[in-house]
Amino acid sequence: MNTQFVGQPIRRVEGHLKVTGGARYAADFNLDEHVYAVIVNATVGLGRIVSIDQAAATRLPGVIAVISHLNAPRLAYRPHKGAIDPATGERLHVLQDDQVRFYGQPVAVVVADTLDHAERAAAALSIAYVAERPAVDPSASGTTEIMAEASKGPNAYYPADTARGDADAALATAPVRIDAFYDTARENHNPMEPHATVARWDGDRVTLWSKTQFVINEQAEIAAIFGIPTENVQVISPFVGGGFGTTLRTWSHVTIAALAARQVGRPVKLALTRKQMFFTTGHRPRSLQRVALGATLDGKLTSIVHEGRGETSRYEEFIEALTTGTGFMYSCPNVRTQYRIVPLDTGTPNHMRGPGEAQGMFALECAMDELSYELGIDPIELRRRNEPEIDEGTGKPFSSRSLMPCYDRGAELFGWAQRNPAPRSMRDDREYVGMGCASATYPVLFSPTRARARLLADGTAEIEVAASDMGPGTYTSMTQVAADALGLPLDKVRFSLGRSDFPPAPPHGGSQTMASVGSAIHAACAAVLEAAARNREVRPIEAEGSAQRDPDVAARFSMHSFGAVFAEVGIDRDVGTIRVRRALGVYGAGRIVNPRLALSQCTGGMVGGIGMALMERTMLDARDGRPVNAHMADYLMPVNLDIDQLEAHFVDEEDPHVNPLGVKGLGEIALVGMAPAIANAIFHATGTRLRNLPISIENVLTG
């Protein structure tokens, strides 16, 4: 393909709209005569509603309706499973019965003429419960586990058990052994834009201006819930102010907005508060893991055992890629993985940037680092000695694998050779200094997609696809692909997304948008040019194109991105404060469509990894499952003052097998290796091995 624009650091084509306030997010849409809805959340973690006294609420000014299970219509809730939904279980049926399944579950909604009136009335609603003590800790005694495997659908990628050789016997006889346990905290996504939906009914048709990373799934889900044809639902989502996975699913507030709008006969605007987003829009589940490694004295792995547990709700089985990377990361004849989930009285977890890989690679990469010190072998050299020639878990060759080139370049840029390998040996004034590294990986996902291209009489082109843009620069990168494919200047191409009446696209998650949507756009542009050649005098000319992975190619290759991440930390000798002085990542991610956007994606992911390593933890009150830090004062995330020097680099990598554009995606992988690199650097600085995330001052002082 022509590459005049692909590969160039083009500035964001939508940047002016964003900085001038022209970009409209879900809650920015104001309709004539719209009213406001405020959700009332359960204040017990398990039980049932005994009574709802709404007298005080309905007497307040401006109140239009109070809706609960007592007066809400019975919704159809027809079967529907989108690509992102758990394969096993049934989604929450909101306002349909008196049962409380988790703290914060929506139990009522108040509709009023202003937001202030709605909030006051919601606070005045009196609800009585019969409460039970919920189970919210997956490590507590008495919790039961279930298999985490689905034989088909999207969850087939997450097997419950895998084995090759006899890992336990090989571990027992290995000359050198590491056997350790790891605990990663529950996290919440906390994007800048809160969840919001504006709903309007026109007869039996509903339009939703909604924050979503999966436009066509939101359309299909609402159609199934209300029992109406899919074409009777229109979803509009032109901009998404950050997501990280939290808006991949259609959560209960979308249903409530549509239900309230139909009930009161007016458009309804519903926006969640920051606190409410800790209850009902998913979270990264807490994980408990064991990794055991056996090796020869010269550093060759003889055994890997990786066992993991994650939390799920009682009504759905959420599973993720907790142990999948272990099977192919390193060469080892004996590998056993086990993955179980623990049903708890919480809302269903959800995919959060690097879902599963972030936690699983933390455990594996910390264990590899620990083994390197036990053997007295440089951590990079240990990985080099165990570099596989093929994916030993599947027996397939890699479509491309650049892990060691990433380490080679990263070590040079980071100055790894200047590191004194002895723990607690490097100092800078009042700080102990540590340097650590870790590997990163993420699968190359690709989903069937369609796109529409239109050539207009004025020499411009329009491209349409039902994708989303939550911030990585989808508008820009897709415009680059289309401009090159059509042979037009960038300013002659208008790319539109975020409408369910556009050709269908997969979820804006899993680092697959550039591969899937970009390939479909390339195909649509080729189709419209072919149509134009046949009809030179006709304008406009419109054509659609589709893209999907060749199943024969997919069956032949193991397709993944790889990266090497380096971190340097400073630990205050007296008070134990932890500072990430600098971090650097090098990634093999196929063709880089826009280096400027790619750099932004990677540094953003690295910041998320810093949060995972040192700050982010959602704490639950064991008595009722209440998130006790459901606000930005106590749920800590990195801010500018926490970030010193971040660098992201890319190795040249051509991979013709993954998709027509040869791209791999960057959204996930940049987060995946950051936490273990920091944890390994902390060990190098202090000589104390810390295996629970987040790592705090107290851990350093008492570890």
Side-chain angles (χ1 to χ4, degrees):
M1 63 179 289
N2 175 38
T3 56
Q4 180 181 355
F5 299 114
V6 169
Q8 299 304 309
I10 305 297
R11 294 183 181 275
R12 290 175 181 260
V13 300
E14 81 284 10
H16 185 266
L17 283 177
K18 288 183 173 178
V19 300
T20 60
R24 298 178 74 187
Y25 298 83
D28 293 332
F29 288 90
N30 295 309
L31 309 183
D32 292 340
E33 299 185 335
H34 80 260
V35 293
Y36 295 85
V38 170
I39 290 175
V40 179
N41 303 93
T43 55
V44 300
L46 184 65
R48 64 181 181 87
I49 301 168
V50 175
S51 65
I52 299 178
D53 184 352
Q54 61 186 50
T58 54
R59 287 196 298 266
L60 291 173
V63 175
I64 298 169
V66 176
I67 306 170
S68 70
H69 74 281
L70 297 176
N71 60 349
R74 300 303 96 181
L75 300 178
Y77 276 100
R78 291 175 179 168
H80 171 70
K81 294 285 188 184
I84 206 67
D85 299 319
T88 302
E90 174 61 14
R91 77 276 216 199
L92 181 70
H93 290 200
V94 66
L95 306 185
Q96 300 296 289
D97 58 38
D98 63 356
Q99 298 301 303
V100 175
R101 296 159 180 84
F102 58 90
Y103 189 98
Q105 174 185 316
V107 292
V109 59
V110 175
V111 184
D113 59 349
T114 70
L115 179 60
D116 181 59
H117 286 158
E119 289 177 336
R120 291 180 62 194
L125 200 64
S126 179
I127 303 178
Y129 304 91
V130 171
E132 303 173 44
R133 187 181 180 98
V136 295
D137 183 355
S139 67
S141 60
T143 56
T144 59
E145 302 173 5
I146 58 178
M147 297 284 284
E149 184 170 23
S151 60
K152 60 182 179 179
N155 295 332
Y157 176 65
Y158 313 134
D161 299 293
T162 68
R164 63 177 184 264
D166 190 336
D168 295 291
L171 180 67
T173 59
V176 181
R177 293 187 294 274
I178 297 294
D179 198 337
F181 292 87
Y182 303 86
D183 189 336
T184 67
R186 172 175 176 158
E187 297 178 66
N188 277 81
H189 302 73
N190 282 305
M192 185 179 296
E193 179 198 12
H195 292 252
T197 298
V198 179
R200 183 187 69 197
W201 287 85
D202 299 291
D204 61 353
R205 295 176 175 269
V206 63
T207 302
L208 305 170
W209 291 264
S210 192
K211 176 178 180 175
T212 176
Q213 294 171 242
F214 199 177
V215 173
I216 62 169
N217 188 65
E218 188 134 310
Q219 177 192 38
E221 173 75 351
I222 293 301
I225 289 173
F226 284 86
I228 59 178
T230 303
E231 59 268 22
N232 284 17
V233 181
Q234 169 75 308
V235 177
I236 300 173
S237 183
F239 291 96
V240 177
F244 318 115
T246 186
T247 44
L248 286 169
R249 296 196 69 185
T250 298
W251 299 106
S252 56
H253 67 276
V254 183
T255 302
I256 291 172
L259 184 154
R262 191 170 69 172
Q263 197 86 337
V264 303
R266 293 173 65 178
V268 165
K269 178 182 289 190
L270 191 161
L272 298 186
T273 65
R274 183 66 58 179
K275 181 178 182 179
Q276 287 175 321
M277 289 168 58
F278 281 79
F279 302 152
T280 58
T281 59
H283 57 276
R284 190 193 297 278
R286 183 179 172 191
S287 78
L288 304 165
Q289 301 177 75
R290 174 201 174 208
V291 174
L293 304 178
T296 62
L297 294 175
D298 61 352
K300 294 291 291 182
L301 288 168
T302 60
S303 175
I304 303 175
V305 175
H306 188 176
E307 300 169 341
R309 284 186 289 161
E311 61 176 280
T312 189
S313 67
R314 293 203 188 277
Y315 54 92
E316 290 181 301
E317 295 182 9
F318 174 81
I319 62 179
E320 58 183 357
L322 189 64
T323 59
T324 56
T326 303
F328 62 80
M329 275 307 297
Y330 301 112
S331 179
C332 182
N334 305 287
V335 178
R336 178 176 65 80
T337 70
Q338 182 190 82
Y339 178 29
R340 299 290 184 268
I341 49 177
V342 183
L344 299 172
D345 300 307
T346 70
T348 304
N350 192 29
H351 299 85
M352 183 173 176
R353 200 170 191 173
E357 282 90 356
Q359 307 100 296
M361 289 298 291
F362 166 73
L364 179 63
E365 290 303 292
C366 287
M368 286 291 289
D369 193 71
E370 191 163 352
L371 180 63
S372 75
Y373 283 96
E374 186 72 20
L375 291 166
I377 299 174
D378 180 85
I380 299 176
E381 176 59 25
L382 177 64
R383 290 166 173 83
R384 191 183 310 278
R385 295 184 188 185
N386 292 283
E387 175 70 359
E389 295 183 359
I390 64 169
D391 178 341
E392 295 180 0
T394 64
K396 300 177 184 178
F398 292 103
S399 61
S400 60
R401 180 179 168 109
S402 301
L403 180 62
M404 294 322 301
C406 288
Y407 268 114
D408 291 340
R409 187 170 182 197
E412 179 182 1
L413 293 170
F414 192 72
W416 186 258
Q418 280 69 57
R419 165 183 173 270
N420 185 328
R424 210 178 175 90
S425 62
M426 299 175 64
R427 296 188 182 185
D428 182 5
D429 193 21
R430 295 180 50 80
E431 290 185 328
Y432 292 111
V433 176
M435 298 167 68
C437 66
S439 303
T441 188
Y442 197 78
V444 182
L445 303 183
F446 190 94
S447 297
T449 309
R450 294 193 64 83
R452 181 183 300 129
R454 187 179 302 113
L455 295 178
L456 305 180
D458 62 0
T460 63
E462 297 176 341
I463 311 296
E464 297 171 344
V465 61
S468 300
D469 186 350
M470 62 176 164
T474 307
Y475 278 103
T476 306
S477 57
M478 300 306 167
T479 301
Q480 290 175 258
V481 170
D484 274 353
L486 295 171
L488 292 175
L490 284 174
D491 61 2
K492 297 296 184 182
V493 176
R494 184 167 68 89
F495 173 67
S496 298
L497 52 67
R499 291 179 62 98
S500 57
D501 55 0
F502 288 167
H508 187 44
S511 297
Q512 64 178 312
T513 298
M514 191 68 249
S516 305
V517 177
S519 296
I521 288 173
H522 189 265
C525 291
V528 81
L529 288 177
E530 182 179 344
R534 294 195 306 265
N535 303 279
R536 294 182 181 275
E537 305 302 321
V538 179
R539 288 292 189 276
I541 295 178
E542 184 177 293
E544 290 195 7
S546 62
Q548 60 185 11
R549 180 173 284 162
D550 184 331
D552 293 332
V553 174
R556 283 168 36 215
F557 293 101
S558 178
M559 302 178 182
H560 305 270
S561 298
F562 293 94
V565 184
F566 297 79
E568 179 181 289
V569 301
I571 312 291
D572 186 280
R573 290 184 292 169
D574 297 320
V575 297
T577 53
I578 307 166
R579 181 167 65 97
V580 179
R581 293 158 56 108
R582 59 192 180 106
L584 180 147
V586 181
Y587 306 99
R591 171 182 282 167
I592 304 300
V593 171
N594 186 317
R596 182 191 299 270
L597 298 177
L599 175 63
S600 177
Q601 272 287 85
C602 287
T603 53
M606 294 166 78
V607 171
I610 292 172
M612 180 181 183
L614 301 176
M615 301 177 186
E616 295 189 55
R617 174 195 283 132
T618 304
M619 300 292 295
L620 303 182
D621 189 323
R623 297 170 297 180
D624 57 13
R626 175 176 61 93
V628 298
N629 59 334
H631 48 81
M632 293 296 93
D634 288 337
Y635 185 93
L636 303 181
M637 293 187 294
V639 298
N640 285 346
L641 287 175
D642 299 307
I643 309 301
D644 282 353
Q645 179 182 331
L646 296 181
E647 294 183 42
H649 302 269
F650 310 99
V651 298
D652 293 332
E653 183 179 75
E654 294 187 10
D655 192 332
H657 308 294
V658 287
N659 50 67
L661 297 181
V663 300
K664 287 188 171 182
L666 288 165
E668 261 65 27
I669 192 172
L671 185 146
V672 169
M674 196 71 227
I678 291 172
N680 293 338
I682 290 172
F683 172 78
H684 181 235
T686 64
T688 300
R689 181 65 65 176
L690 300 172
R691 304 184 182 94
N692 297 350
L693 296 184
I695 298 171
S696 66
I697 295 172
E698 294 82 359
N699 300 140
V700 171
L701 293 176
T702 62

